[in-house]
Amino acid sequence: MSKLQIVIALYPGVTHLDFTGPHQVLSRLPNAEVVVASSGGRDIEAEGLTFTRLADLAAVGRCDVLCVPGGLGTTDAMLDEAFMAQISRLGAQAKYLTSVCTGSLILAAAGFLRGKRAACHWAWRDLLVPFGAIVDDSRVARDGNIITGGGVTAGLDFAFVLMAELAGETLAKSVQLGLEYAPSPPFASGRPELASPEILAAVKARMEPFAQSRLDAVKQVAARLETAR
């Protein structure tokens, strides 16, 4: 029996926990191959870590599951026509389309989320709307064959949901136990509705310098998609 092919597509400026968390979980799937790929197989630097010996995205013939992580580089990735061509190619034949954090914006930019519910990092989820997606503020959202996780750490929850879908709850629960995934955060500050107004304002201020360029990219790509319809 052929192995289940899971492809995680990386790009410059990706957030490493967006994909290393899910990779840790999904690498424990039996009869599955998790391929981490980038354009040209180039090394990817992510917040001080360099990921090397990656597969060439264009050389990946097919996949059963396409997973796109997020990060500050999402904006440039959406505008990278060569990268987006590979996302479109692989996604068109994948059984499952998945993402973590702002990776859902990339799926949306490829035209996969029109009329679909999708999750995203809380600060950027409204940018799904220009692509015709339905914003879902859940930690993990599912709409048919599309499974999307919220911001960064939600990638772990997403991975267990996907594992249960692919191989059943018993395996997912066993892997969860093996990884001792029993989150108990030291602070109730992990979502905007839980954080204090001061903390929320400070985090929003740190994100503000990226907001306009990301909005401009979303409008540009959304207009391109609308013209192509």
Side-chain angles (χ1 to χ4, degrees), residues 138-174:
S138 303
R139 191 143 169 95
V140 181
R142 172 149 192 192
D143 193 330
N145 71 328
I146 298 170
I147 306 175
T148 52
V152 192
T153 60
L156 283 166
D157 297 46
F158 148 78
F160 283 112
V161 169
L162 178 59
M163 176 175 273
E165 170 71 18
L166 296 174
E169 281 193 14
T170 298
L171 176 66
K173 290 176 179 178
S174 298

Side-chain angles (χ1 to χ4, degrees), residues 22-32 34 163 171 174-175 178-179:
H23 185 279
Q24 177 68 78
V25 175
L26 298 174
S27 64
R28 300 195 178 199
L29 269 169
N31 200 44
V34 183
M163 176 175 273
L171 176 66
S174 298
V175 173
L179 294 177

Side-chain angles (χ1 to χ4, degrees), residues 12-65:
V14 70
T15 295
H16 58 70
L17 187 56
D18 280 15
F19 71 91
T20 54
H23 185 279
Q24 177 68 78
V25 175
L26 298 174
S27 64
R28 300 195 178 199
L29 269 169
N31 200 44
E33 180 182 15
V34 183
V35 177
V36 183
S38 64
S39 294
R42 290 191 292 273
D43 293 355
I44 295 294
E45 190 276 333
E47 296 167 298
L49 299 180
T50 300
F51 295 86
T52 188
R53 297 175 63 186
L54 304 176
D56 181 355
L57 203 54
V60 177
R62 54 166 295 279
C63 65
D64 298 292
V65 179

Side-chain angles (χ1 to χ4, degrees), residues 173-214:
K173 290 176 179 178
S174 298
V175 173
Q176 181 181 355
L177 176 59
L179 294 177
E180 198 174 347
Y181 181 52
S184 180
F187 310 110
S189 189
R191 291 177 66 93
E193 62 269 24
L194 298 175
S196 69
E198 296 79 11
I199 294 294
L200 180 58
V203 172
K204 284 184 173 180
R206 287 201 296 271
M207 293 178 173
E208 185 60 32
F210 312 104
Q212 190 59 53
S213 61
R214 181 162 282 180

